[in-house]
Structures are given as C-alpha cells and as structure tokens.
Amino acid sequence: MNIARWPLTGVLLAAFLPAHAADSMVVYTKGGANPAAMACITCHGAEGEGMAAAGFPRLAGLSAGYMRKQLADFASGARANPIMQPIAAALSAEEADAVTAMLADKPGPEVERVDRTAAAEGPGETLALRGAWARNIPECVACHGPSGVGVGDAFPPLAGQSAQYLAAQLNAWRQGTRKNDPNDLMGHIARSLTDDEVKAVSAYFAGLTDQGAAR
Ligand code: HEC
Ligand code: HEC
C-alpha cells in the first residue's frame, strides 16, 4: 500500500506506531524517520569505525551515555558543529537511544597498553602521562584512563580516534565552539595547551591504535 496516497491513514499509522519502534540498524544505515537525520553509516563507517582522513570520529565502543550527551549537546549548540547539529536535532529520542546502544555494544579497537608510570618520551607522551602541573594541566590518563581507553559515561576514549579529530576537538574548546564539558574541565586544559602540544598529544593517542594512526 502506498501510504502517501492516503495522508490521513499515514497520520493515524504514525500516531499509533509504538514509540520504541526505532530500529537501530535502520537508523544507522538508512537514517531516522525525519529525512534530516541522515544515515550515520555514510560518515561513521560500516562498523562505526569512523573515517580518520575526513575527521569523522569512531563511534563503535564509545559509551551510549556519552554519545547521547553529545547528540543532545549538538542539538542545543553547546557543541557547535554544522554537520552534526541538524542530524542530532532531527533524531527522535527513541532513535538516539537505539542507535547509541547498538554502537556501544560494538568492539573498540586494539589499544597498545602503556603503563602510567612508564618513562614518558617526547611532549605528547609527557602531557598524557604526567600533565604539566606548573600550568595546572593534569595528565590526560587521570580522567581518560590508562592509554586513553575511556572511563564510564563521562570520559570518552582518546585512543581509537584519529589525530586530526582529537586536535579538532581541542581546538574547538580553545575557540569556544565546544563548551559542553562539566565545569569547563576540558576548556581549561585545551586553552592551556600550545599549538605544538595539541599536535603532539593528539598524535600520541592516535598512535596507540592502528585505527587512529593508519589513515
Ligand atoms: C555527513 C556526515 C555525518 C553523518 C551522516 C553523521 N555524522 Fe556524526 N559526526 C560527524 C562529524 C564531522 C562529527 C565530529 C563533529 C565535531 O567535530 O564536533 C561527528 C560526531 C558525532 C558524535 C560525537 C563523537 C564523539 O566522540 O564525541 C556522535 C555521537 C555522532 N556523530 C553520532 C552520529 C549518529 C548517531 C549519526 C546518524 C544518525 C551521525 N552521527 C551521522 C559527521 C556525521
Ligand atoms: C579532569 C578530567 C580530564 C582531564 C585531566 C582530561 N580530560 Fe579530556 N575530557 C574530559 C571530559 C569530561 C570530556 C568529555 C566532555 C563532554 O562531555 O563532551 C573530555 C573529552 C575530551 C576530548 C573529546 C573526545 C571526543 O570523543 O570528542 C578530547 C580530544 C580530550 N578530552 C583530550 C584530552 C587531553 C589531550 C587531555 C590531556 C592533556 C585531557 N583530555 C585531559 C575530562 C578530562
């Protein structure tokens, strides 16, 4: 039946379809009910691995709670991004719940384990493992976990993302287009880093996985 030819039937059907009907794979591969909620797969990759060269982040293995917060922050503009804002705003809550739960269940990348007490070599690893306390910059692994694998819903993984994406986020905080972190934790840290430090620490975490480094 072509629903479009019976507008009233379509409206009634939409009204009575259960709210939990969002199918995570349909949202991911074809998009949400609202056409502005474009298919995630186009940019975030067949398995949610992201597209490093284009700056599209990995979603596979990220916490569902973290991803739902980001979608809400894109929609509200607390994390300003011209690509994700209209997509996040067009996703229904049920669609966002379903697609983030599906992505969180996917495996994360293989991460090279670096002991927090290892001798840090170079500026990137020094920031990651020791911070720069003279400038009130805590070591990244204190919040993002050993090797930057992420901790719970609040602290996303850094390992598994590309250097390009990581640097873009740090620069977004420095420029004030991303201002969605509780208590300005990341804002303070990012604004305290030099350009060279942003590059070095981004390259360091990207280099802990094949995913981040290779492409
Ligand atoms: C046209 C490309 C494109 C499409 C389609 C797209 N995204 Fe994104 N997504 C991006 C870009 C670019 C970013 C990084 C934005 C930034 O720099 O802040 C991003 C970031 C994200 C993030 C934040 C990840 C993090 O580590 O903080 C989430 C979550 C996300 N997208 C979910 C989705 C979902 C769910 C869909 C499908 C409904 C989707 N995206 C569709 C391009 C896209
Ligand atoms: C005091 C805790 C804390 C420390 C220390 C910290 N971060 Fe964060 N970081 C956070 C929080 C919280 C978020 C998520 C903010 C949000 O809700 O979007 C975050 C997010 C990020 C993101 C965005 C990831 C994504 O998927 O979009 C990057 C990049 C980042 N941090 C890099 C760093 C680097 C590099 C360091 C060390 C120089 C560092 N962080 C140290 C708390 C911290």
Side-chain angles (χ1 to χ4, degrees):
M1 176 176 78
N2 182 350
I3 292 178
R5 289 167 66 184
W6 287 279
L8 184 61
T9 320
V11 170
L12 288 175
L13 267 180
F16 288 105
L17 275 175
H20 59 258
D23 177 328
S24 58
M25 281 314 290
V26 172
V27 175
Y28 193 77
T29 59
K30 299 199 165 60
N34 179 333
M38 284 156 54
C40 325
I41 195 169
T42 320
C43 299
H44 291 285
E47 296 298 331
E49 72 280 17
M51 289 185 193
F56 302 146
R58 151 182 285 274
L59 301 179
L62 269 56
S63 113
Y66 170 78
M67 287 189 280
R68 279 199 307 273
K69 175 180 182 294
Q70 300 309 308
L71 290 170
D73 292 344
F74 284 127
S76 77
R79 180 174 175 183
N81 182 265
I83 301 176
M84 278 306 299
Q85 195 278 334
I87 296 174
L91 274 181
S92 72
E94 292 75 21
E95 288 168 344
D97 284 353
V99 78
T100 54
M102 181 274 287
L103 287 162
D105 275 348
K106 286 185 177 288
E110 288 280 327
V111 180
E112 183 191 325
R113 290 304 186 133
V114 181
D115 195 293
R116 283 183 62 160
T117 58
E121 283 172 27
E125 189 165 43
T126 301
L127 271 173
L129 301 183
R130 303 279 179 272
W133 282 99
R135 287 178 285 153
N136 280 319
I137 306 174
E139 60 278 14
C140 319
V141 297
C143 291
H144 290 280
S147 298
V149 293
V151 179
D153 287 344
F155 306 107
L158 304 179
Q161 301 295 10
S162 67
Q164 187 182 342
Y165 173 74
L166 296 172
Q169 298 313 303
L170 293 169
N171 287 327
W173 268 302
R174 295 167 89 197
Q175 287 150 14
T177 49
R178 183 168 178 175
K179 42 182 185 288
N180 63 334
D181 51 322
N183 307 318
D184 198 32
L185 293 174
M186 278 310 304
H188 160 75
I189 291 170
R191 288 190 302 273
S192 307
L193 297 174
T194 66
D195 285 341
D196 285 346
E197 286 174 333
V198 166
K199 285 195 196 111
V201 77
S202 301
Y204 172 73
F205 282 110
L208 295 180
T209 63
D210 292 343
Q211 287 268 329
R215 292 164 305 153

